[in-house]
mmCIF file of all heavy atoms in Angstrom:
data_model
loop_
_atom_site.group_PDB
_atom_site.id
_atom_site.type_symbol
_atom_site.label_atom_id
_atom_site.label_comp_id
_atom_site.label_asym_id
_atom_site.label_seq_id
_atom_site.Cartn_x
_atom_site.Cartn_y
_atom_site.Cartn_z
ATOM 1 N N GLY H 114 -235.786 116.958 81.398
ATOM 2 C CA GLY H 114 -236.424 117.793 82.270
ATOM 3 C C GLY H 114 -237.588 117.161 83.128
ATOM 4 O O GLY H 114 -238.386 117.914 83.503
ATOM 5 N N ASP H 115 -237.531 115.845 83.280
ATOM 6 C CA ASP H 115 -238.664 115.154 83.991
ATOM 7 C C ASP H 115 -238.580 115.802 85.435
ATOM 8 O O ASP H 115 -237.602 115.732 86.163
ATOM 9 C CB ASP H 115 -238.412 113.727 84.137
ATOM 10 C CG ASP H 115 -239.540 113.005 84.727
ATOM 11 O OD1 ASP H 115 -240.743 113.573 84.755
ATOM 12 O OD2 ASP H 115 -239.511 111.794 85.273
ATOM 13 N N GLY H 116 -239.538 116.531 85.768
ATOM 14 C CA GLY H 116 -239.651 117.324 87.031
ATOM 15 C C GLY H 116 -239.004 118.642 87.160
ATOM 16 O O GLY H 116 -238.960 119.276 88.165
ATOM 17 N N LEU H 117 -238.405 119.036 86.041
ATOM 18 C CA LEU H 117 -237.744 120.355 85.863
ATOM 19 C C LEU H 117 -238.651 121.283 85.043
ATOM 20 O O LEU H 117 -238.605 121.268 83.817
ATOM 21 C CB LEU H 117 -236.316 120.136 85.314
ATOM 22 C CG LEU H 117 -235.503 119.234 85.985
ATOM 23 C CD1 LEU H 117 -234.160 119.045 85.318
ATOM 24 C CD2 LEU H 117 -235.213 119.642 87.503
ATOM 25 N N ASP H 118 -239.355 122.160 85.617
ATOM 26 C CA ASP H 118 -240.232 123.000 84.909
ATOM 27 C C ASP H 118 -239.555 123.894 83.832
ATOM 28 O O ASP H 118 -240.160 124.270 82.869
ATOM 29 C CB ASP H 118 -240.973 123.995 85.935
ATOM 30 C CG ASP H 118 -241.866 123.179 86.785
ATOM 31 O OD1 ASP H 118 -242.231 122.061 86.496
ATOM 32 O OD2 ASP H 118 -242.171 123.720 87.867
ATOM 33 N N TYR H 119 -238.187 124.188 84.092
ATOM 34 C CA TYR H 119 -237.491 125.158 83.199
ATOM 35 C C TYR H 119 -236.967 124.502 81.887
ATOM 36 O O TYR H 119 -236.457 125.106 81.018
ATOM 37 C CB TYR H 119 -236.377 125.827 83.912
ATOM 38 C CG TYR H 119 -235.417 124.884 84.683
ATOM 39 C CD1 TYR H 119 -234.336 124.440 83.987
ATOM 40 C CD2 TYR H 119 -235.685 124.470 86.028
ATOM 41 C CE1 TYR H 119 -233.477 123.423 84.516
ATOM 42 C CE2 TYR H 119 -234.820 123.611 86.580
ATOM 43 C CZ TYR H 119 -233.710 123.151 85.982
ATOM 44 O OH TYR H 119 -232.858 122.254 86.526
ATOM 45 N N ALA H 120 -236.967 123.153 81.761
ATOM 46 C CA ALA H 120 -236.377 122.494 80.768
ATOM 47 C C ALA H 120 -236.874 122.978 79.406
ATOM 48 O O ALA H 120 -236.172 123.295 78.438
ATOM 49 C CB ALA H 120 -236.526 120.940 80.910
ATOM 50 N N ALA H 121 -238.180 122.938 79.167
ATOM 51 C CA ALA H 121 -238.883 123.394 78.023
ATOM 52 C C ALA H 121 -238.551 124.839 77.624
ATOM 53 O O ALA H 121 -238.407 125.204 76.479
ATOM 54 C CB ALA H 121 -240.406 123.021 77.902
ATOM 55 N N ILE H 122 -238.566 125.620 78.625
ATOM 56 C CA ILE H 122 -238.332 127.108 78.365
ATOM 57 C C ILE H 122 -236.924 127.292 77.904
ATOM 58 O O ILE H 122 -236.746 128.103 76.906
ATOM 59 C CB ILE H 122 -238.524 127.883 79.743
ATOM 60 C CG1 ILE H 122 -240.076 127.690 80.146
ATOM 61 C CG2 ILE H 122 -238.020 129.322 79.661
ATOM 62 C CD1 ILE H 122 -240.183 128.325 81.616
ATOM 63 N N HIS H 123 -235.961 126.558 78.325
ATOM 64 C CA HIS H 123 -234.637 126.627 77.909
ATOM 65 C C HIS H 123 -234.521 126.118 76.472
ATOM 66 O O HIS H 123 -233.857 126.760 75.616
ATOM 67 C CB HIS H 123 -233.648 125.976 78.721
ATOM 68 C CG HIS H 123 -233.259 126.752 80.035
ATOM 69 N ND1 HIS H 123 -232.468 127.970 79.977
ATOM 70 C CD2 HIS H 123 -233.531 126.581 81.261
ATOM 71 C CE1 HIS H 123 -232.465 128.416 81.132
ATOM 72 N NE2 HIS H 123 -232.972 127.610 81.967
ATOM 73 N N ASN H 124 -235.080 124.920 76.219
ATOM 74 C CA ASN H 124 -234.974 124.255 74.861
ATOM 75 C C ASN H 124 -235.724 125.110 73.819
ATOM 76 O O ASN H 124 -235.226 125.222 72.751
ATOM 77 C CB ASN H 124 -235.548 122.917 75.046
ATOM 78 C CG ASN H 124 -235.173 122.103 73.777
ATOM 79 O OD1 ASN H 124 -234.005 121.743 73.560
ATOM 80 N ND2 ASN H 124 -236.215 121.741 72.955
ATOM 81 N N ASP H 125 -236.886 125.624 74.200
ATOM 82 C CA ASP H 125 -237.741 126.321 73.128
ATOM 83 C C ASP H 125 -237.506 127.827 73.111
ATOM 84 O O ASP H 125 -237.832 128.466 72.129
ATOM 85 C CB ASP H 125 -239.141 125.881 73.286
ATOM 86 C CG ASP H 125 -239.395 124.410 73.165
ATOM 87 O OD1 ASP H 125 -238.451 123.687 72.533
ATOM 88 O OD2 ASP H 125 -240.285 124.006 73.834
ATOM 89 N N GLY H 126 -237.062 128.330 74.219
ATOM 90 C CA GLY H 126 -236.918 129.813 74.313
ATOM 91 C C GLY H 126 -238.374 130.306 74.605
ATOM 92 O O GLY H 126 -239.438 129.685 74.325
ATOM 93 N N LEU H 127 -238.377 131.434 75.478
ATOM 94 C CA LEU H 127 -239.813 131.981 75.851
ATOM 95 C C LEU H 127 -239.549 133.291 76.303
ATOM 96 O O LEU H 127 -238.709 133.630 77.222
ATOM 97 C CB LEU H 127 -240.338 131.088 77.008
ATOM 98 C CG LEU H 127 -241.662 131.652 77.384
ATOM 99 C CD1 LEU H 127 -242.801 131.449 76.428
ATOM 100 C CD2 LEU H 127 -242.118 130.882 78.760
ATOM 101 N N GLY H 128 -240.229 134.206 75.614
ATOM 102 C CA GLY H 128 -240.185 135.780 76.020
ATOM 103 C C GLY H 128 -238.696 136.151 75.805
ATOM 104 O O GLY H 128 -238.087 136.154 74.788
ATOM 105 N N ILE H 129 -238.146 136.579 77.067
ATOM 106 C CA ILE H 129 -236.743 137.120 77.041
ATOM 107 C C ILE H 129 -235.790 135.996 77.121
ATOM 108 O O ILE H 129 -234.531 136.200 76.912
ATOM 109 C CB ILE H 129 -236.512 138.178 78.108
ATOM 110 C CG1 ILE H 129 -236.752 137.592 79.457
ATOM 111 C CG2 ILE H 129 -237.397 139.428 77.845
ATOM 112 C CD1 ILE H 129 -236.286 138.491 80.473
ATOM 113 N N MET H 130 -236.118 134.799 77.351
ATOM 114 C CA MET H 130 -235.316 133.666 77.551
ATOM 115 C C MET H 130 -234.960 133.184 76.092
ATOM 116 O O MET H 130 -235.839 132.838 75.431
ATOM 117 C CB MET H 130 -235.915 132.488 78.339
ATOM 118 C CG MET H 130 -235.032 131.290 78.469
ATOM 119 S SD MET H 130 -233.524 131.519 79.399
ATOM 120 C CE MET H 130 -234.333 131.612 80.995
ATOM 121 N N PRO H 131 -233.555 133.233 75.707
ATOM 122 C CA PRO H 131 -233.263 132.772 74.398
ATOM 123 C C PRO H 131 -233.330 131.316 74.268
ATOM 124 O O PRO H 131 -233.199 130.550 75.204
ATOM 125 C CB PRO H 131 -231.838 133.233 74.178
ATOM 126 C CG PRO H 131 -231.347 133.342 75.564
ATOM 127 C CD PRO H 131 -232.551 133.736 76.452
ATOM 128 N N MET H 132 -233.582 130.871 73.075
ATOM 129 C CA MET H 132 -233.724 129.356 72.807
ATOM 130 C C MET H 132 -232.178 128.840 72.883
ATOM 131 O O MET H 132 -231.375 129.292 72.360
ATOM 132 C CB MET H 132 -234.186 129.040 71.364
ATOM 133 C CG MET H 132 -234.224 127.583 71.033
ATOM 134 S SD MET H 132 -234.484 127.337 69.252
ATOM 135 C CE MET H 132 -236.312 127.157 69.348
#
Side-chain angles (χ1 to χ4, degrees):
D115 190 24
L117 305 174
D118 297 339
Y119 55 87
I122 294 170
H123 282 293
N124 193 67
D125 302 335
L127 179 68
I129 62 168
M130 177 66 69
M132 175 191 269

